[in-house]
Structures are given as structure tokens and as C-alpha cells.
Amino acid sequence: MRVAVLGATGTIGRALVPALAIEHEVTAISRSGSTPVAERVTPRALDASDRDALRGVLDGVDVVYHLVHSLGAANFEERDRLVADAVAGAAADAGVWRIVYLGGLGDDAESLSPHLRSRAETGIRLEQGPVPVTTLRAAMIVGAGSAAFETIVALVERLPGMICPRWVSVATQPVAVDDVVRYLVEIPTVEEAAGQRLDVGGPEVMTYREMLERIARLLGRRPLIVEVPALAPRLSSLWLYLVTPVQASVARPLVQGMRYPTVVRDDRIRAWLPFQPMPFEAAVRAALATRAR
């Protein structure tokens, strides 16, 4: 097939592009166009909110992967809406037959954080176009460069003790970046997945506290973790900003989203694409090895 990856230089895009290029012709789209030139990979630099520019690039493309998320921008919700509308329109104009969108688990909560609300709205806006959309919803992705994962690792590496809000006791189901990439690569071959929202996750459900403790053991650390009844999301994000490499503008919406359980409730994708997801600690070891390189 001919495929296009929007957000090709992000954490997922950098892993997805070479995986797709094993069998397909790939147009790697980003603002900078800095994806390395490789066999079957054509980098393109453009603004994903520019429908006319997108239409020209998507001409002849079969599948579009939407990995763009403007987290960190002051107006990230508005930016995400503009991009989703442009992608849906340009894909229809160019005759694309499938859009694959990577969204987030937890976006069906009754009261959403801005981060989760934006992820959910992006999927809805893509679905309003005529091109069938397959949405894969994931919790924290365990991989080098993932903002949530890098935040957790930095806390463990830099702090001997932590005063944490109650969100550390919320359940989540992290998934390895390699497994997410495999789902993304293979899902266009599943006809039944067109027009569906599907949950993807690793084999283990845990709390954020358990995640912190297990990563700490792998790093040979034993931080003291104390939970407190209340710690405002703004204070939490500023605290994270002081001790992690993640910008406050990124940390704040991430922390707000951690108040909601992010656990797989619909596992139909496991029947369509049956493979054993990577255990959490194996995924962490692989991510730490990548960071070290």
C-alpha cells in the first residue's frame, strides 16, 4: 500500500515509519520534514492544519495514520480541532480509504480533562468525514520519548521521596511502544475494524504507584512514596516541571488526565490480531535500553 504518517517525528511516528516501510511506500509528514530518507520513505514538511497542502500530499495514498497531538501548545485543543478537520477533509478529497487514529483510553469518562477531551474530540471530528476511521485507544505508552513514561522515570531517578496526590492509586494499563506499533501496522488489514474504536493495552493492570515502585526496582532505587488527600493539578504539574524534563505546559494536562482510570474494556482487537503483548517490566527494560543508547 501507499501510506502517510502524520506526526512522523514523534515518539510513535519514529517507530512506525520504518515498520511500515518494510512492506509499504511511506510518506512521512511532519512540520520539520526531518524524518531520515530511507528506502520506501519520502519525508514531507507541512502544517497538518493546511487542508490544501495535505490534499496534494495524500493524492494516491491508501491509509493515513493520524498521530498528531498539540499537547504543550497554549491552544492545543483548538489546534487539534483544526488539524482533525483538515485531515478528514483532505483524506476525502484525495480518495483515501482508511484513517487510523491513535487516541487515548479514558476519553469516555463522564467529566474529561482538557487533554482527554481533546483526544476524544479529534476522533469524533475525523469520524464526521466520509473516510472510515479506525481509532486505537491506548493508556500510557512505555517507550523512550513518551512524555508520560519519561515523567515517571524522571521522578524515580531524581527523587528519594515523593508526596503524591491520590491519582497515584488510579488504575491504568500501560502498553509497550512496540506493541502499539504492531497494532497500527496490522489493523488496516482487518476489514471489520473500519469505523471502530478499539482499546489496546499491555497484559497488566496496575496503579501509577505500582508503576513507580516497579520502575524503581529495575533502577535499583527505593523511593519513599507518601499519598496526600489533595494536591491541585496545577501544583502537581509545577512540581513535575521542577524535577522532570517535561515542560509544565505538557505535564499539567497529563496530570489532569491521570485522575481517570485508563483500562481496556473492549478487547476485540486481541481476537483480530492475536499476539501476546509485552509484559510491563520487559517493556520498561527495552525503553531504558533505548534511552541509554
Side-chain angles (χ1 to χ4, degrees):
M1 299 184 299
R2 290 188 62 191
V3 302
V5 178
L6 288 158
T9 56
T11 300
I12 304 300
R14 290 195 305 270
L16 178 61
V17 167
L20 287 168
I22 294 172
E23 295 186 1
H24 310 300
E25 298 294 327
V26 184
T27 301
I29 302 170
S30 65
R31 275 183 172 274
S32 65
S34 59
T35 303
V37 176
E39 187 176 1
R40 298 199 183 100
V41 177
T42 303
R44 293 295 297 267
L46 59 81
D47 184 336
S49 65
D50 186 336
R51 176 171 173 170
D52 291 336
L54 269 177
R55 181 169 54 240
V57 172
L58 298 184
D59 185 40
V61 166
D62 300 305
V63 177
V64 172
Y65 288 89
H66 189 297
L67 307 178
V68 176
H69 189 45
S70 304
L71 193 62
N75 60 339
F76 73 86
E77 291 183 87
E78 176 61 24
R79 171 74 182 167
D80 284 347
R81 286 192 287 268
L82 290 173
V83 172
D85 290 345
V87 172
D93 295 342
V96 171
W97 60 264
R98 180 84 66 89
I99 296 172
V100 179
Y101 169 56
L102 181 60
L105 281 171
D107 63 12
D108 52 359
E110 292 182 2
S111 176
L112 293 174
S113 69
H115 168 52
L116 293 179
R117 181 172 63 238
S118 183
R119 300 293 293 271
E121 187 176 4
T122 293
I124 292 170
R125 284 178 174 263
L126 291 172
E127 291 167 356
Q128 289 173 347
V131 179
V133 179
T134 299
T135 296
L136 302 188
R137 307 192 312 165
M140 190 186 82
I141 295 174
V142 181
S146 164
F149 177 72
E150 294 290 352
T151 296
I152 296 293
V153 172
L155 289 174
V156 172
E157 287 179 330
R158 302 183 186 191
L159 294 178
M162 308 174 209
I163 298 176
C164 299
R166 283 184 173 173
W167 57 253
V168 296
S169 293
V170 172
T172 187
Q173 193 166 350
V175 58
V177 63
D178 287 351
D179 290 338
V180 173
V181 167
R182 181 168 179 177
Y183 281 127
L184 289 168
V185 169
E186 297 184 13
I187 199 63
T189 66
V190 181
E191 293 183 7
E192 299 92 332
Q196 300 297 311
R197 301 176 187 174
L198 305 168
D199 296 352
V200 298
E204 301 161 80
V205 176
M206 65 194 70
T207 65
Y208 287 100
R209 177 172 185 149
E210 291 170 328
M211 189 185 304
L212 284 163
E213 291 171 340
R214 291 175 69 176
I215 292 175
R217 284 198 297 271
L218 291 174
L219 291 172
R221 298 176 181 271
R222 301 182 64 179
L224 175 65
I225 300 175
V226 178
E227 295 182 40
V228 296
L231 187 60
R234 180 176 177 83
L235 290 177
S236 295
S237 61
L238 291 175
W239 168 65
L240 291 174
Y241 173 72
L242 291 173
V243 297
T244 78
V246 179
Q247 297 178 355
S249 59
V250 173
R252 185 175 301 119
L254 280 177
V255 169
Q256 291 172 336
M258 288 177 178
R259 294 178 293 168
Y260 306 94
T262 48
V263 178
V264 170
R265 292 183 173 85
D266 178 351
D267 64 354
R268 285 176 296 161
I269 196 169
R270 295 290 305 280
W272 291 335
L273 300 175
F275 66 89
Q276 184 59 42
M278 189 179 300
F280 175 71
E281 292 188 10
V284 172
R285 288 190 183 95
L288 294 175
T290 300
R291 289 172 89 244
R293 291 195 297 269

